[in-house]
Amino acid sequence: MSNKVFYYISICFLIGCVSVFSQTKKTANPQNCNTQLASIIKHSDFEYPDKNYYVRIEDTTGGTVIIKAYVRNNLSDNPKKPQMVESVVSWFIIQPQHDGIYQSMNALDPEEPDFRKLKIDEKAFGTLLKCIEKNY
């Protein structure tokens, strides 16, 4: 009898642990970082005429984070077979010192880079940095 009770308690404990682990894993992933990033950029002073753009972390190398803002366009004439392409509207960078998000003002000119620091929510930015450190 006591073996059965111990067995049922063990099963309940394992199910609880798996449930907690799966919930934790869902909240900490790269997609969550991109969602946080999109919210920060959309609430910053970045100006783009259409608010229907997307934001994604493109690369994290040597402490530098490269971010792409883009729109999706359907090039297909057939509505049943969409051919989606991404068109870049802006590039952003978070430098290794992590002091803010900078918008590239001339991404096509590597000779004389020009960046503008965005006005962002600093608390949300700190949360984003923790997410990036954990997932990238």
Side-chain angles (χ1 to χ4, degrees), residues 64-67 90-95 100-110 112-118:
T64 300
V65 180
I66 306 294
I67 302 161
S90 189
W91 289 99
F92 302 94
I93 186 171
I94 300 174
Q95 298 174 336
I101 298 176
Y102 292 83
Q103 179 183 4
S104 174
M105 302 307 287
N106 59 348
L108 299 177
D109 184 7
E112 294 183 35
D114 184 23
F115 294 96
R116 177 180 72 88
K117 187 174 182 179
L118 295 180

Side-chain angles (χ1 to χ4, degrees), residues 11-95:
I11 295 296
C12 290
F13 177 76
L14 287 174
I15 290 171
C17 288
V18 169
S19 174
V20 168
F21 178 75
S22 67
Q23 288 175 356
T24 303
K25 192 170 184 171
K26 286 179 187 173
T27 60
N29 63 33
Q31 184 62 30
N32 188 29
C33 297
N34 284 323
T35 302
Q36 291 177 26
L37 175 62
S39 177
I40 291 170
I41 298 288
K42 289 188 181 206
H43 291 95
S44 73
D45 62 340
F46 170 60
E47 293 181 14
Y48 184 69
D50 185 7
K51 288 293 183 185
N52 294 324
Y53 63 89
Y54 303 89
V55 181
R56 166 176 73 227
I57 296 171
E58 281 293 304
D59 186 38
T60 56
T61 305
T64 300
V65 180
I66 306 294
I67 302 161
K68 175 173 134 178
Y70 61 96
V71 293
R72 292 183 182 147
N73 298 311
N74 184 0
L75 298 181
S76 175
D77 293 334
N78 183 351
K80 294 182 180 180
K81 292 184 179 180
Q83 294 176 335
M84 302 303 285
V85 295
E86 295 178 357
S87 300
V88 176
V89 296
S90 189
W91 289 99
F92 302 94
I93 186 171
I94 300 174
Q95 298 174 336

Side-chain angles (χ1 to χ4, degrees), residues 123-134:
K123 185 176 179 180
F125 180 65
T127 303
L128 172 67
L129 291 176
K130 290 176 185 173
C131 183
I132 291 170
E133 289 173 8
K134 184 185 282 187

